Amino acid sequence: MTFSILSFDTKTGVFAGAAATGSLCVGGWVLRGDIESGLVASQGTAPSSFWRDDVLRAMYGGQSAVTAVDRVTGADEGRGHRQLSALDRYGAAQAFTGQDSVPYAGHLVEQDLVIAGNMLTGPEVLDAMRRVARDGPADPAERMFAVLNAALNAGGDSRGLQSAAMLILKPNAPPLDIRVDYDTAPIAALERLYQRTQSSPYNDWLHEVPVVVDKSRAPNRP
C-alpha cells in the first residue's frame, strides 16, 4: 500500500522523509518526526499510529531506534499486519515488516537510511529508492522527490498512487511538512506544492519563526 524513505545527513544534521501510497492521506498516517528525536514511518495493512507516536516519544527520551522499534512491535499481537521504520537523532535505523504484510513487502536498513514498502510490484522498487537515496541530488527535498519518482518508475505501488508526503527537518529552519491527500499524480502535485513553499511571501515568513538553533527567533522589532 505504501513506500517510504527516512534519511539523515550527519554533516548537516538534516532529516528528510517521504512517502507515497495507493490510498488517501499518506502524510497523516505514515510520517512523523521532530529534529530532537528523529523520524518514524508507520504503514501496512493495518498501520498503528500508536507505534509511530510511541517510538517518536521513546527516541526523544533517549532510546535508540533499534530499542524503540523492537519494544513496540514485540508487544503487539497484531504486528503481522503492520510495518514500521525509525531513524533516531544519531542516524541509527531500525525497521519491522510483519509476516502478514501484503506482498511484495520488505525493508532496507542502513546507517542514516531506512526504506520500506508493502503491496509493491517487487523488491526492485526498494532497490531503486536506495540507489537514488545514496547517489541522488544533494538538496534534501530534491533528493526525496527523486527517490519517490524512482520508486514510481520501478513499479511503485501495485495499485497506482493517490497521495504523497514529505517531511524535512533542519537545525536552522522550521519543519517542512507537506502532503497531497488525493491526486491522480500525487508526486507531481507535491512537487508543485513544495515550489510554492519556496516562494514569497510564505518563504519570507519562515525566517521569522523559532528553529532548534534559535528557539527565541522572532520578527525584528524597533
Side-chain angles (χ1 to χ4, degrees):
M1 299 172 71
T2 308
F3 50 84
S4 64
I5 174 173
L6 307 177
S7 67
F8 179 62
D9 187 324
T10 55
K11 294 180 180 179
T12 63
V14 174
F15 289 94
T21 188
S23 187
L24 305 177
C25 306
V26 70
W29 274 105
V30 175
L31 293 176
R32 286 292 185 277
D34 74 72
I35 199 162
E36 296 178 292
S37 305
L39 292 176
V40 180
S42 180
Q43 54 204 53
T45 309
S48 174
S49 59
F50 301 103
W51 276 14
R52 179 195 65 201
D53 298 342
D54 287 349
V55 166
L56 194 62
R57 282 191 291 265
M59 294 194 304
Y60 182 82
Q63 286 188 20
S64 70
V66 173
T67 298
V69 169
D70 290 350
R71 284 183 175 178
V72 301
T73 58
D76 186 343
E77 293 181 358
R79 60 186 174 273
H81 300 279
R82 316 195 212 288
Q83 194 170 41
L84 183 68
S85 303
L87 193 63
D88 65 31
R89 71 186 77 169
Y90 304 108
Q94 180 68 313
F96 171 86
T97 297
Q99 63 181 5
D100 299 315
S101 298
V102 179
Y104 174 78
H107 57 259
L108 302 175
V109 176
E110 302 176 1
Q111 178 68 27
D112 303 326
L113 181 67
V114 192
I115 295 168
N118 58 82
M119 202 183 287
L120 303 178
T121 54
E124 64 276 6
V125 177
L126 302 182
D127 292 335
M129 294 172 70
R130 180 190 178 280
R131 286 194 297 272
V132 175
R134 290 304 190 192
D135 301 327
D139 178 81
E142 292 180 5
R143 189 169 66 254
M144 291 299 99
F145 285 120
V147 168
L148 292 179
N149 280 305
L152 179 64
N153 293 334
D157 188 310
S158 59
R159 304 163 302 167
L161 298 178
Q162 293 189 24
S163 62
M166 182 170 67
L167 175 59
I168 296 179
L169 308 171
K170 298 181 178 181
N172 61 348
L176 177 68
D177 186 356
I178 58 174
R179 61 197 61 183
V180 172
D181 288 334
Y182 174 73
D183 195 278
T184 55
I187 298 174
L190 187 71
E191 190 160 10
R192 290 193 298 271
L193 177 59
Y194 169 73
Q195 294 301 330
R196 292 188 68 88
T197 71
Q198 304 304 293
S199 304
S200 297
Y202 182 82
N203 189 258
D204 301 331
W205 171 71
L206 297 180
H207 300 283
E208 301 177 350
V209 300
V211 296
V212 75
V213 296
D214 185 1
K215 293 184 178 181
S216 299
R217 191 165 71 169
N220 292 327
R221 299 184 185 278

